[in-house]
Amino acid sequence: MNTIHRKDHSWALLGDILVLFVALFLTLVLRYGGFPSAETWAVHIPPFSILFILAILINFISGLYEKHTLLFKKRLPTTLFNVQLVNAVISIAFFYFIEYFSITPKIVLFVYLLLSLLLMLLWRIFILPRFGGGKLQKALLIGESSEIDELKNEIAHNPQFNISFVAELKPSQKSVDLKAEIIKLLTVHQVSVVVIDSNDEALSEVIPMLYPFALSRVLFFDVSSMYEAMFDRIPLSHIKQNWFIENMASIAPKFVYDMIKRGIDFMVALVLGIISLVIYPFVILAIKLDDRGVIFSYQERVGRYNKILKIMKFRTMTVADDKGKWGSVPNKVTRVGRFLRMTRIDELPQLWNVLKGDISLIGPRPEFPEPVQRYAEALPYYNIRHSIKPGLSGWAQIYGEHPHHGVDMDMTANKLSYDLYYVKNRSFLIDLKIALRTIKVLITFVGR
């Protein structure tokens, strides 16, 4: 998005790595009473480098590289403290249970963990917010929609952006000469950034007059692309026929990506599926003792290209499959089912669906056929989410609210905006991000 962007989070990553190295250096200085010798470095750098990598992964899972981290400064100390507790447990286990390395530090490890926490707080709270900001740029906002309001509020209350909206022009303001006002703001008030809603038909006559300014110092951004980059979702009100045509290449199959992803799906599902067999007897016994009902639930879901799939799960409700007709069939979660849902154990049999190739580990969650039909009628381009394989976990599951039971158009629209973002931008990096955040959800038992 050119220069109008949140502060580059590569600064956060590089700074975190530097902080960890500085913490280790200061620890060795304090422990050995001077500059560490080459021998001391040689002994400590290999194992601590592994700990650095693990610490960065924990930071990533904890959301410390998310766009809106700086919005929550009051929560940052608590988040960092919790992260450091996890790092402490991992570090202790690493040194005391892996005998490969020749050291089992006690004082060094304790001082390092304490210093890294203090330095990380200093870096994150007082230094990082000052990086990458640059000179505050004057901006003009042209258009009117709920997305524009969200953009305006986000930028106004988020110090990560080096932009300030000095004026907002709306097509509905009949008393304002839009063309004259725009020229005045661009020339007299030296506005250097224009954010405009190119989908607004009322602005069709205004846009051509802006062309000459594009050759000067003025930067132009479309509301939809800026919204997508800022919120990691597609603004549904901006999806028209031209959006589908413009993004057809992104929506189409990606041969190399799909082939490698299928290989990863197969290997991971095979390993996890075999390991999970250990707990199957206990789950089966618990279900039988609870209500003597069937063990598995086979549910119809909509898959890629609207193909109907049979998804296998451990049964968690009194009726194995109500076909998504919530409320019309007397059905409730069983006692054992409540625990299986909270721990996600009920999802384990779906690993065999992954092995078969019906679904992927990562992708939009598959829905019941009847709700899908209603969503497709109410939400334009809903079926675009079916252009790729559904998954056990997806972008919408880790970031967006979604209905667990019942048909909710507003929540589904919100979910769809995230699903379309994933369909358009899917990559191994995004898949890794979803996988790591899913691990966090599994560990903390949230989101059910």
Side-chain angles (χ1 to χ4, degrees):
M1 283 178 54
N2 219 330
T3 59
I4 301 299
H5 212 285
R6 48 193 171 268
K7 293 178 181 175
D8 192 349
H9 279 267
S10 60
W11 282 112
L13 177 59
L14 292 174
D16 287 354
I17 295 173
L18 180 60
V19 163
L20 296 175
F21 272 101
V22 170
L24 177 60
F25 172 76
L26 293 178
T27 298
L28 296 179
V29 169
L30 292 173
R31 177 67 178 87
Y32 297 104
F35 195 90
S37 65
E39 183 180 355
T40 301
W41 275 116
V43 171
H44 287 84
I45 280 296
F48 274 90
S49 294
I50 296 175
L51 290 184
F52 293 164
I53 295 173
L54 293 175
I56 294 300
L57 284 175
I58 296 299
N59 287 354
F60 190 90
I61 294 173
S62 301
L64 289 175
Y65 302 116
E66 296 297 320
K67 301 185 184 77
H68 310 300
T69 301
L70 291 181
L71 284 177
F72 308 106
K73 287 185 177 180
K74 292 182 179 179
R75 290 166 47 187
L76 190 57
T78 302
T79 300
L80 288 174
F81 181 76
N82 291 334
V83 166
Q84 199 67 346
L85 283 179
V86 175
N87 286 330
V89 172
I90 292 175
S91 300
I92 293 170
F94 178 77
F95 280 114
Y96 289 93
F97 291 99
I98 299 178
E99 299 180 357
Y100 176 79
F101 299 101
S102 59
I103 58 172
T104 52
K106 295 179 181 178
I107 297 176
V108 168
L109 185 57
F110 175 78
V111 175
Y112 163 75
L113 291 171
L114 180 61
L115 277 178
S116 60
L117 174 60
L118 294 176
L119 290 176
M120 195 67 75
L121 283 169
L122 178 65
W123 157 244
R124 283 283 184 158
I125 295 177
F126 299 106
I127 302 177
L128 179 59
R130 292 173 171 78
F131 271 70
K135 182 181 178 181
L136 195 64
Q137 299 178 81
K138 295 180 180 180
L140 168 62
L141 191 57
I142 308 175
E144 50 186 330
S145 66
S146 59
E147 287 81 12
I148 284 181
D149 291 337
E150 287 184 66
L151 280 176
K152 184 174 62 176
N153 291 331
E154 176 70 10
I155 289 175
H157 296 92
N158 195 334
Q160 294 186 79
F161 300 96
N162 62 333
I163 175 176
S164 174
F165 287 120
V166 296
E168 180 183 1
L169 299 179
K170 300 180 179 181
S172 61
Q173 294 175 307
K174 301 300 182 181
S175 60
V176 176
D177 186 340
L178 285 180
K179 294 182 180 180
E181 191 65 23
I182 291 172
I183 293 176
K184 176 183 175 182
L185 288 165
L186 291 176
T187 54
V188 178
H189 295 281
Q190 297 184 328
V191 167
S192 59
V193 176
V194 174
V195 180
I196 187 169
D197 186 357
S198 61
N199 286 314
D200 193 330
E201 295 180 359
L203 296 173
S204 59
E205 296 182 1
V206 173
I207 293 177
M209 63 158 287
L210 299 175
Y211 296 158
F213 292 97
L215 302 176
S216 63
R217 58 180 172 76
V218 181
L219 298 172
F220 290 87
F221 299 93
D222 183 62
V223 166
S224 60
S225 60
M226 195 176 195
Y227 185 95
E228 178 181 340
M230 189 178 296
F231 295 106
D232 289 338
R233 50 189 288 213
I234 304 292
L236 295 185
S237 64
H238 286 235
I239 296 182
K240 312 292 182 185
Q241 289 182 356
N242 61 323
W243 184 93
F244 180 78
I245 295 173
E246 290 169 1
N247 294 280
M248 193 172 291
S250 299
I251 296 171
K254 301 178 180 181
F255 178 75
V256 175
Y257 166 80
D258 290 340
M259 182 176 64
I260 296 176
K261 186 178 180 182
R262 173 57 186 152
I264 294 173
D265 281 344
F266 185 86
M267 293 304 298
V268 173
L270 180 62
V271 172
L272 293 181
I274 293 174
I275 293 174
S276 68
L277 289 176
V278 175
I279 68 172
Y280 272 52
F282 302 100
V283 176
I284 292 171
L285 179 61
I287 293 175
K288 283 297 183 182
L289 290 175
D290 188 23
D291 64 1
R292 302 181 183 276
V294 298
I295 303 302
F296 297 104
S297 166
Y298 297 90
Q299 302 174 350
E300 287 189 347
R301 301 293 181 96
V302 178
R304 191 178 191 183
Y305 305 136
N306 290 319
K307 178 183 176 182
I308 302 300
L309 309 173
K310 282 281 188 179
I311 299 296
M312 183 169 66
K313 302 172 68 174
F314 283 119
R315 181 178 60 86
T316 60
M317 305 188 77
T318 53
V319 177
D321 182 14
D322 56 14
K323 302 186 183 298
K325 299 179 180 179
W326 304 289
S328 61
V329 179
N331 204 2
K332 63 179 182 178
V333 180
T334 64
R335 289 175 298 176
V336 170
R338 191 171 295 107
F339 173 79
L340 296 179
R341 288 181 168 216
M342 182 184 69
T343 57
R344 268 67 174 192
I345 291 175
D346 65 313
E347 307 274 359
L348 289 178
Q350 291 184 66
L351 290 170
W352 308 113
N353 288 108
V354 177
L355 275 175
K356 288 172 57 182
D358 292 337
I359 61 177
S360 175
L361 293 172
I362 304 296
R365 285 284 283 174
E367 302 281 2
F368 288 98
E370 185 173 329
V372 163
Q373 184 177 356
R374 294 172 62 179
Y375 293 145
E377 293 172 355
L379 301 172
Y381 307 109
Y382 178 83
N383 280 323
I384 292 178
R385 70 190 299 273
H386 299 140
S387 62
I388 63 174
K389 277 186 184 180
L392 294 181
S393 183
W395 195 248
Q397 273 61 47
I398 63 173
Y399 286 111
E401 290 293 331
H402 54 283
H404 293 289
H405 298 285
V407 176
D408 189 310
M409 289 299 173
D410 290 336
M411 292 181 69
T412 299
N414 178 72
K415 177 175 178 288
L416 178 61
S417 68
Y418 286 98
D419 283 337
L420 294 183
Y421 177 89
Y422 176 78
V423 171
K424 177 185 174 183
N425 299 285
R426 65 193 186 279
S427 66
F428 290 117
L429 184 60
I430 290 182
D431 288 344
L432 176 62
K433 187 172 185 178
I434 294 172
L436 292 175
R437 291 300 296 268
T438 301
I439 291 172
K440 176 187 176 182
V441 170
L442 292 173
I443 293 173
T444 55
F445 300 132
V446 298
R448 175 64 83 174

